[in-house]
Amino acid sequence: MGKGKLAKFAEMETFSNVFQYPFSVVDNVPFEMKGHWREQYFKNNHPVVLELGCGKGEYTVELARLYPEMNFIGVDIKGARMWTGAKQALEAGLKNVAFLRTNIEIIDRFFAGSEVQEIWLTFSDPQMKNAHKRLTSTFFLNRYRKFLVDGGIVHLKTDSNFLFTYTTCMVKENKLPVVFSTEDLYHTEGLDEETHKILSIQTYYESMWIVRGLNIRYMKFLLPQQGELVEPEVDIPLDDYRSYHRPKRSSLKVSK
């Protein structure tokens, strides 16, 4: 690990808005704030919104600026990246922002039933070879149900046609209510005021994808508590480009 990363990890230990519970420590250190994020950290009763796979935390911080009446928690395992957003939030004096460094596979360990109102998935790795790892798979949706309010909102914003198509098939197969869906967010007319708001937030990589001519896809759907979730049985064409920090595409042309 480089000196820069070590310095960031050391500084993160002093950040009051960062909680670190990776696989290596989570079984040995109890997380006593589960079910008490509002009263113990945020000191208010505002809605709680998660960004899963927050990377540098740019989106989490900007959402917090746009919606001061809501609480935002960015979640990722990459601490050196998360340092950026956590430091920005502290320097800006944002009291409605926190960051949780952990593996998303165990996200349900940190939140109690109905403690979260919304989830954002921004430019998640499409995991084209392994449906189990996709953040809109049944594996993860069932975890979200453990702490998301009944009918809570899930936002998906992605450059990946594969992930967008997979999620579209997932919500259709399971009859999940879709509030809004577009395959070209920045060239869609008639957007409502709330959707217009999110257009003002662009991460560094998102702006690069737009420059490259890639469509940004966006979906907003509801996740009810009732009903067994099933995986869609459909072959989906793989993305035909290599995106930032993603592994080389396989020689296959489609995946389930």
Side-chain angles (χ1 to χ4, degrees), residues 136-154:
T136 53
S137 67
T138 56
F139 176 84
F140 283 102
L141 292 182
N142 279 322
R143 274 159 176 71
Y144 306 158
R145 278 177 159 183
K146 294 180 180 180
F147 55 79
L148 194 63
V149 296
D150 188 17
I153 298 171
V154 179

Side-chain angles (χ1 to χ4, degrees), residues 5 10 16 33 37 41 47 60 105 126 135 160 162 172 175 178 190-191 194 196 202-203 211 235:
K5 285 188 176 181
S16 60
M33 205 157 59
W37 280 90
Y41 178 77
T60 300
E105 292 89 340
L135 293 188
S160 169
F162 180 90
K172 183 178 180 180
K175 297 180 174 58
V178 176
L191 299 178
E194 288 303 306
H196 265 297
Q202 284 186 17
T203 65
V211 169
D235 291 328

Side-chain angles (χ1 to χ4, degrees), residues 82-111:
M82 183 183 290
W83 171 89
T84 302
K87 192 173 183 67
Q88 286 178 353
L90 286 175
E91 291 177 346
L94 294 174
K95 303 297 185 182
N96 61 331
V97 182
F99 288 91
L100 174 62
R101 179 175 169 255
T102 193
N103 304 79
I104 298 176
E105 292 89 340
I106 56 173
I107 188 63
D108 51 302
R109 293 193 186 194
F110 302 93
F111 301 94

